[in-house]
Amino acid sequence: MLITSGPDPDTTAKTGYARGRVKRRQILEAATAVFADVGFNGASLREIAARAGISHPGLLHHFPTKPALLEAVLKHRDEVDTTAFDADIARGVSKFEALLLLAERNQQRRPLVELFMAVGAEATSPAHPAHEYFVNRYEQAVSFFREWFESEELRAGLQPEDAARHMVALMDGLQVQWLMSLGGPPEREVDMAACLRSYLHLVLPA
Amino acid sequence: MLITSGPDPDTTAKTGYARGRVKRRQILEAATAVFADVGFNGASLREIAARAGISHPGLLHHFPTKPALLEAVLKHRDEVDTTAFDADIARGVSKFEALLLLAERNQQRRPLVELFMAVGAEATSPAHPAHEYFVNRYEQAVSFFREWFESEELRAGLQPEDAARHMVALMDGLQVQWLMSLGGPPEREVDMAACLRSYLHLVLPA
DNA sequence: TCCATTGCTTACCAAGTGGTAGGGATTCGG
DNA sequence: CCGAATCCCTACCACTTGGTAAGCAATGGA
């Protein structure tokens, strides 16, 4: 359904023995870090396997191909993120605040942000194994914001569609700036959440 | 001065014979396309060389290493872009319009946009050969917009620094959305320039 | 016309790539 | 405690990677 459509390409599902499940999680974490550093094309299965404390055919035992591994990483992160967001909403937090919470959480998980940046940028090429995944992701994100803004009082003259595009673009773009700022002095670190908030206050005069 | 600091790492400078200069330009074009497709780490010198109609040691004759080639590509594009922008300004075009013109020009040169996306995303890692280049680039871009907005009447409560960050983030983020939209139906293609304009009208009530 | 510079080739290298084969351990339900 | 499923290893495969060595041909200033 996502990239390949095999019956159940080894994800974090509770199949197999306990030891295997643990290893699979370690592999996913290592893969996240390596994909984040050098992108999908630049990553090597041996490097990922070494970080997970396993041989590279051992890795391929759990995730049969490199694209399958990428798919599992992306799927896993989506699950974690959406459940956290939904939990915030269920707790009665507004969409506005739930969004900022998401940005703040991301600010503490640098490898994840780097992963989506690096792989997402590669995936603009239609031949990339995660291309469709990212196209869908963007469509969903824009729709989410458009629907939200359609039910709010926007600053005069601003279309919900445009505001939605702005939001998605800002989240992406600010993440790059934040990552780039991490090498420098800490006081010059970009504050993504604050920057997002100032845009929302600009758009929603409420 | 940029990445390496050799005496004059073979760029488009008018050194050597005419034939060599032509080849160098072809190589830069091919490299732009390939880096754009698969990023720096994913690109292969042989692939680039083949597209430029040369053997891969032939390529290394002009650009001695892979990072040197990347440096030359980035430097070349900066020169082209800034001279075009400066020409617009000299023609009496406002910064506002010159910026939109830049966005519109980019919209017609997809490979370039893909290049900066793909390489820029990889380059968040401090070990990347173009890391410093991109850090400087972002600092300059934010400064440019901050200084501009400081001399304009901004919507109440919006800091020039935040607005500058927004602009840079929007340009980056909209480019991703635009690239992702290119596979789909043409009428759903993202209009970067229009989207940027709507933000500027939001921020500069003039 | 000489001849150093430049341009570019084929041949080669060690290292790393994703993936396969096959076989020993380990695990755990029956 | 048996036996099937799972785990994961070493060894190997063909192929690609960035870079080097050595040499030959074209160029263009003297």
Side-chain angles (χ1 to χ4, degrees), chain A residues 98-178:
Chain A
L99 223 51
L100 296 176
L101 281 177
L102 180 66
E104 269 161 17
R105 267 197 302 268
N106 280 344
Q107 209 150 352
Q108 248 129 327
R109 296 178 307 180
R110 172 176 183 176
L112 276 195
V113 178
E114 285 180 305
L115 168 73
F116 276 93
M117 285 305 314
V119 178
E122 282 179 349
T124 54
S125 165
H128 195 282
H131 180 69
E132 283 179 50
Y133 169 86
F134 276 94
V135 169
N136 289 339
R137 189 186 162 83
Y138 277 101
E139 269 177 20
Q140 282 171 21
V142 171
S143 292
F144 171 85
F145 286 114
R146 196 199 323 102
E147 282 162 26
W148 174 24
F149 287 138
E150 273 165 358
S151 68
E152 300 275 341
E153 190 94 11
L154 286 190
R155 203 127 218 171
L158 183 61
Q159 300 301 316
E161 174 84 19
D162 280 352
R165 292 236 116 86
H166 289 168
M167 276 302 295
V168 176
L170 279 173
M171 296 184 75
D172 277 4
L174 289 176
Q175 281 173 355
V176 189
Q177 290 180 53
W178 171 63

Side-chain angles (χ1 to χ4, degrees), chain A residues 1 15 47 60 64 75 92 97 114 129 132 145-146 188:
Chain A
M1 154 215 162
T15 62
E47 165 78 12
L60 288 167
K75 198 187 235 168
E97 287 301 330
E114 285 180 305
E132 283 179 50
F145 286 114
R146 196 199 323 102
R188 303 209 45 194

Side-chain angles (χ1 to χ4, degrees), chain B residues 27-185:
Chain B
I27 292 172
L28 285 181
E29 277 169 31
T32 299
V34 175
F35 284 146
D37 242 36
V38 294
F40 173 74
N41 288 305
S44 105
L45 295 182
R46 281 170 174 84
E47 165 79 11
I48 295 169
R51 292 207 200 183
I54 201 178
S55 68
H56 97 272
L59 185 158
L60 288 168
H61 165 72
H62 293 289
F63 306 94
T65 66
K66 201 187 178 188
L69 175 59
L70 175 62
E71 177 189 357
V73 169
L74 294 176
K75 199 185 231 170
H76 178 57
R77 292 322 315 185
D78 262 7
E79 280 164 13
V80 171
D81 271 1
T82 64
T83 58
F85 183 84
D86 290 349
D88 283 346
I89 296 291
R91 248 182 37 227
V93 176
S94 71
K95 281 190 179 180
F96 184 109
E97 286 302 330
L99 222 52
L100 294 176
L101 282 176
L102 180 65
E104 267 161 18
R105 268 197 302 269
N106 280 344
Q107 209 150 356
Q108 247 128 328
R109 297 179 305 181
R110 171 177 183 175
L112 276 196
V113 179
E114 286 179 306
L115 168 72
F116 276 93
M117 286 305 314
V119 179
E122 281 179 350
T124 54
S125 166
H128 196 282
H131 179 70
E132 282 180 51
Y133 169 87
F134 275 94
V135 169
N136 289 339
R137 189 185 163 83
Y138 276 101
E139 268 177 20
Q140 282 171 22
V142 171
S143 293
F144 171 85
F145 285 115
R146 196 198 324 103
E147 281 162 27
W148 174 25
F149 287 139
E150 273 164 358
S151 68
E152 299 277 341
E153 189 93 14
L154 287 190
R155 203 126 218 171
L158 184 60
Q159 300 300 317
E161 173 84 20
D162 280 352
R165 290 238 118 84
H166 289 168
M167 276 302 295
V168 177
L170 278 173
M171 297 184 74
D172 277 4
L174 288 175
Q175 281 174 354
V176 189
Q177 289 180 54
W178 171 61
L179 289 174
M180 292 285 179
S181 78
L182 285 182

Side-chain angles (χ1 to χ4, degrees), chain A:
Chain A
M1 154 215 162
L2 187 63
I3 296 173
T4 65
S5 35
D8 192 73
D10 268 322
T11 60
T12 326
K14 283 155 201 149
T15 62
Y17 303 156
R19 179 188 177 107
R21 258 174 277 137
V22 169
K23 227 4 161 218
R24 243 165 285 159
R25 195 158 283 243
Q26 290 174 4
I27 292 172
L28 285 182
E29 277 168 32
T32 299
V34 175
F35 284 146
D37 243 37
V38 293
F40 174 74
N41 287 306
S44 103
L45 295 183
R46 282 171 174 83
E47 165 78 12
I48 296 169
R51 292 206 200 185
I54 201 178
S55 69
H56 97 272
L59 186 159
L60 288 167
H61 165 71
H62 292 289
F63 305 94
T65 68
K66 201 186 179 189
L69 175 59
L70 175 63
E71 177 189 356
V73 169
L74 260 24
K75 198 187 235 168
H76 178 55
R77 293 320 317 185
D78 263 6
E79 281 165 12
V80 171
D81 270 1
T82 62
T83 57
F85 184 84
D86 289 351
D88 283 345
I89 296 292
R91 247 181 38 225
V93 176
S94 72
K95 280 191 180 180
F96 184 110
E97 287 301 330
L99 223 51
L100 296 176
L101 281 177
L102 180 66
E104 269 161 17
R105 267 197 302 268
N106 280 344
Q107 209 150 352
Q108 248 129 327
R109 296 178 307 180
R110 172 176 183 176
L112 276 195
V113 178
E114 285 180 305
L115 168 73
F116 276 93
M117 285 305 314
V119 178
E122 282 179 349
T124 54
S125 165
H128 195 282
H131 180 69
E132 283 179 50
Y133 169 86
F134 276 94
V135 169
N136 289 339
R137 189 186 162 83
Y138 277 101
E139 269 177 20
Q140 282 171 21
V142 171
S143 292
F144 171 85
F145 286 114
R146 196 199 323 102
E147 282 162 26
W148 174 24
F149 287 138
E150 273 165 358
S151 68
E152 300 275 341
E153 190 94 11
L154 286 190
R155 203 127 218 171
L158 183 61
Q159 300 301 316
E161 174 84 19
D162 280 352
R165 292 236 116 86
H166 289 168
M167 276 302 295
V168 176
L170 279 173
M171 296 184 75
D172 277 4
L174 289 176
Q175 281 173 355
V176 189
Q177 290 180 53
W178 171 63
L179 289 175
M180 293 284 180
S181 78
L182 285 183
E187 72 272 14
R188 303 209 45 194
E189 184 179 325
V190 172
D191 188 340
M192 287 195 288
C195 222
L196 266 186
R197 178 172 275 131
S198 75
Y199 175 79
L200 281 171
H201 279 124
L202 189 70
V203 163
L204 303 170

Side-chain angles (χ1 to χ4, degrees), chain B residues 10-29 52-54 58-63:
Chain B
D10 267 322
T11 60
T12 327
K14 283 153 199 150
T15 62
Y17 302 157
R19 179 185 177 109
R21 259 174 277 136
V22 169
K23 223 15 159 209
R24 242 164 288 160
R25 197 158 282 244
Q26 290 175 3
I27 292 172
L28 285 181
E29 277 169 31
I54 201 178
L59 185 158
L60 288 168
H61 165 72
H62 293 289
F63 306 94

